[in-house]
Amino acid sequence: MSLLTAERIKLFSTRSPWWCGLAAVVLPIGFTALLVGQANGGLEVGVTTTQATANLGRSVVMVLAALAVTTEYRFSTIRSTFQATPNRIAALLAKTAVVAALAGVLGELVAFGSWGVSRLLKPSADLALDSADDWRSVAGEGLVFALAAVLALGVGILVRQTAGAVALLLVYSLLVENLIQLIPTAGEDIHRWMPFVAADQFIGVGQRIPDPAFGPWGYLVYFAGISLVVLAAALVTANRRDA
Amino acid sequence: MIEAVGLTKRYGKTLAVDNLSFTVPTGRVTGFLGPNGAGKSTTMRMILGLDTPSGGSALIDGKRYRDLHQPLRTVGALLDAKWVHPNRSARAHLAWMAKSNRLPAKRVDEVLDIVGLSAVAGKRAGGFSLGMSQRLGIAAALLGDPQVLLFDEPVNGLDPEGILWIRKFMHRLADEGRTVFVSSHLLSEMALTAQELVVIGRGKLISQSSTEDFVSQATENTVRVRSPQLGALRTALGRTGVSIRDEGESLIVSGMDCADIGELAAQTGTVLHELSPQRGSLEEAFMQLTGDSVEYHTEIAEGQVPATLVPAGK
């Protein structure tokens, strides 16, 4: 418990998480307002439409999560951290828990903020959350954000440099996963197993995969599995190498 | 007590620390002396469990650092004053460290008071001068009121006031019965601060002894004598079997102190113009001891100019 408090003090005693958190919430809600406000006839606004720009917030949250650990390496406070808590796995798990919790809260703010602003701008559209699928599409963002933060933190621990970790995460999640479809014949088959594609299947946004391997919750478990594997690899590496 | 047993650290092909064994006794200030690059910081990082030894072990009161429960209560350390997030306040930096070892929050204000940073506790640490950063690092080391303290080059880059403050602080800590292990590459500084000395060069142990023994062994005590009747004096001194060497218009005598030389001069009726004890410089002694073990030698020896000095571009 005291480790969680220590990590919470660390996270909120610098400015960048505040700015990242603000951007992560304001950007997707703003773009949702633009998207829904300009929708007419051609675009039918449904519950999943309100979550179409949430991935922007997810990207910013991943930057926040990566920064939470790369700045520790940048300023060598990771050494103070391991000096105070020689059980490195416990220290890093505490950090992961705090960052993931914050990411989850931000995810819910993004999801319900986007949904709320859509309801205000398009009172005529059917945006009521009247099925389990509707609730999954909106409230599920918190889970996706939290797991994306876990993945980003793992990458941050492995890469250690801010620029490298952030570039890797953004280029991969925003470009590589989609461009991979360009590979002849095998491209489509690889694409359907990409982690962020899986997260989108859970929410119900983005490209629909034909003949999906899992149901929505299965895809969430798959995404969680990949995030936890990356985190586990990061913890083992951090425990072994010199701080 | 800190105990290093056969401590070894290898980076690729280079041996940074080579089979190093020493003990740091309880309740004293022990200096850890060696030229730059001798492996002092690496050794300290291994003691703190930050770097994993390639061989051997470092024990604190018989335990490995990574096996200590809430280690800040046992060992406090300042390895680098810059290991602070520049946008975090001094108080927040100490607060998270205190929390991680379940230390009471009021302890943060106590240590800020001890090092005299209470007035700037809310300021961001990135704006601190080196002296203030060192104080913050010392505050962090004192958080858990530990019995063992490690400092790596604490006076490096400080102004005279800061150096004096640190030196007094070390003595105070040792007077309180704590074990203090402090590294430096300056023997003159260590001679004033430390009671025990562990000297290393190129990762190997050169000596471990009390500072007094080390200094007296390392420095040769001589007496300079000037006299208009230098010849007569040399003969008289020669009979006693001490070693004499000429230096300009004077004699340098080793193996006999001022009083004896003065009496000898009186017996032989020699007029003396100077009779002064000479103390070998600590730095020279240190260079002699570690001379072969400096890692990065300068290419050109003192006063020696390469024979083939060709202007650039020809």
Side-chain angles (χ1 to χ4, degrees), chain A residues 1-3 5-7 9-11 13-15 71-72 75-88 239-243, chain B residues 9 11 45 48-52 65-66 68 71-72 76-77 82-89 92-93 95-97 99-102 124:
Chain A
M1 209 49 216
S2 58
L3 289 182
T5 316
E7 289 299 332
I9 296 172
K10 248 193 248 176
L11 187 63
S13 57
T14 62
R15 274 171 293 179
T71 52
E72 285 230 39
F75 299 113
S76 292
T77 51
I78 195 75
R79 292 183 173 139
S80 311
T81 300
F82 291 159
Q83 195 189 316
T85 315
N87 183 347
R88 296 180 184 184
N239 201 38
R240 205 179 290 160
R241 76 184 161 203
D242 291 340
Chain B
K9 182 70 186 179
Y11 295 110
R45 282 202 305 272
L48 291 174
L50 295 173
D51 286 10
T52 315
Y65 187 90
R66 287 184 81 164
L68 293 173
L72 298 187
K82 288 291 163 201
W83 291 356
V84 177
H85 193 297
N87 285 331
R88 194 173 280 141
S89 71
H93 176 70
W96 76 254
M97 287 188 91
K99 201 71 207 176
S100 68
N101 276 240
R102 291 177 190 273
R124 42 185 289 273

Side-chain angles (χ1 to χ4, degrees), chain B residues 42 77 97 114 120 161 181 183 199 205 217 235 242 287 296:
Chain B
T42 307
M97 287 188 91
I114 293 174
V120 290
E161 194 199 343
F181 190 42
S183 81
V199 185
L205 186 73
Q217 269 172 29
T235 324
V242 297
M287 287 303 289
Y296 304 104

Side-chain angles (χ1 to χ4, degrees), chain A residues 126-191:
Chain A
D126 174 23
L127 293 177
L129 300 178
D130 46 16
S131 70
D133 284 349
D134 288 344
W135 276 100
R136 190 195 69 234
S137 290
V138 179
E141 290 287 10
L143 293 171
V144 170
F145 274 49
L147 291 169
V150 170
L151 180 80
L153 204 81
V155 171
I157 295 170
L158 287 169
V159 176
R160 288 183 280 186
Q161 273 118 19
T162 302
V166 168
L168 182 65
L169 285 166
L170 293 186
V171 169
Y172 176 78
S173 66
L174 298 175
L175 293 172
V176 175
E177 284 207 347
N178 283 318
L179 292 177
I180 218 150
Q181 295 177 86
L182 295 177
I183 300 173
T185 60
E188 289 296 334
D189 287 333
I190 302 172
H191 177 252

